[in-house]
Coordinates of all heavy atoms in Angstrom, one line a residue:
M193 N -38.8 -28.2 -8.4 CA -38.6 -26.8 -8.8 C -37.4 -26.2 -8.0 O -36.6 -25.5 -8.5 CB -39.9 -26.1 -8.6 CG -39.8 -24.6 -8.9 SD -39.7 -24.5 -10.7 CE -39.8 -22.8 -10.9
F194 N -37.5 -26.4 -6.6 CA -36.5 -25.9 -5.8 C -35.1 -26.5 -6.1 O -34.1 -25.8 -6.1 CB -36.8 -26.2 -4.3 CG -35.8 -25.7 -3.3 CD1 -35.6 -24.3 -3.1 CD2 -34.9 -26.6 -2.7 CE1 -34.7 -23.9 -2.2 CE2 -34.0 -26.1 -1.8 CZ -33.8 -24.8 -1.6
A195 N -35.1 -27.8 -6.5 CA -33.8 -28.4 -6.9 C -33.2 -27.8 -8.1 O -32.0 -27.6 -8.2 CB -34.0 -29.9 -7.1
R196 N -34.1 -27.4 -9.1 CA -33.6 -26.8 -10.3 C -33.0 -25.4 -10.0 O -31.9 -25.0 -10.5 CB -34.7 -26.6 -11.3 CG -35.0 -27.9 -12.0 CD -36.1 -27.6 -13.1 NE -36.3 -28.7 -13.9 CZ -37.1 -28.8 -14.9 NH1 -37.8 -27.7 -15.2 NH2 -37.2 -29.9 -15.6
I197 N -33.6 -24.6 -9.1 CA -33.1 -23.3 -8.8 C -31.8 -23.4 -8.0 O -30.8 -22.7 -8.3 CB -34.2 -22.6 -7.9 CG1 -35.4 -22.3 -8.8 CG2 -33.6 -21.3 -7.3 CD1 -36.5 -21.7 -8.0
L198 N -31.7 -24.4 -7.1 CA -30.5 -24.6 -6.3 C -29.4 -25.1 -7.2 O -28.3 -24.6 -7.1 CB -30.8 -25.6 -5.2 CG -29.6 -25.9 -4.3 CD1 -29.2 -24.6 -3.6 CD2 -30.0 -26.9 -3.3
T199 N -29.7 -26.0 -8.2 CA -28.7 -26.4 -9.1 C -28.2 -25.3 -10.0 O -27.0 -25.2 -10.2 CB -29.2 -27.6 -10.0 OG1 -29.7 -28.6 -9.1 CG2 -28.2 -28.1 -10.9
G200 N -29.1 -24.5 -10.5 CA -28.7 -23.3 -11.3 C -27.8 -22.3 -10.5 O -26.9 -21.8 -11.1
A201 N -28.2 -22.1 -9.3 CA -27.4 -21.2 -8.5 C -26.0 -21.7 -8.2 O -25.0 -21.0 -8.3 CB -28.1 -20.9 -7.1
L202 N -25.9 -23.0 -7.9 CA -24.6 -23.7 -7.7 C -23.7 -23.6 -9.0 O -22.5 -23.4 -8.9 CB -24.8 -25.1 -7.2 CG -25.3 -25.2 -5.8 CD1 -25.5 -26.7 -5.4 CD2 -24.3 -24.6 -4.8
L203 N -24.4 -23.9 -10.1 CA -23.6 -23.9 -11.4 C -23.1 -22.4 -11.7 O -22.0 -22.2 -12.2 CB -24.5 -24.4 -12.5 CG -24.7 -25.9 -12.5 CD1 -25.6 -26.3 -13.6 CD2 -23.4 -26.6 -12.7
T204 N -24.0 -21.5 -11.4 CA -23.6 -20.1 -11.6 C -22.4 -19.7 -10.7 O -21.4 -19.0 -11.1 CB -24.8 -19.1 -11.4 OG1 -25.8 -19.5 -12.3 CG2 -24.4 -17.7 -11.7
A205 N -22.5 -20.1 -9.5 CA -21.4 -19.8 -8.5 C -20.1 -20.5 -8.9 O -19.1 -19.9 -8.9 CB -21.9 -20.2 -7.1
A206 N -20.2 -21.7 -9.3 CA -19.0 -22.4 -9.8 C -18.4 -21.8 -11.0 O -17.2 -21.7 -11.1 CB -19.4 -23.9 -10.0
A207 N -19.2 -21.4 -11.9 CA -18.7 -20.7 -13.1 C -18.0 -19.4 -12.8 O -17.0 -19.0 -13.3 CB -19.8 -20.5 -14.2

Side-chain angles (χ1 to χ4, degrees):
M193 180 71 176
F194 179 72
R196 283 186 171 179
I197 294 173
L198 185 60
T199 303
L202 288 175
L203 287 175
T204 302

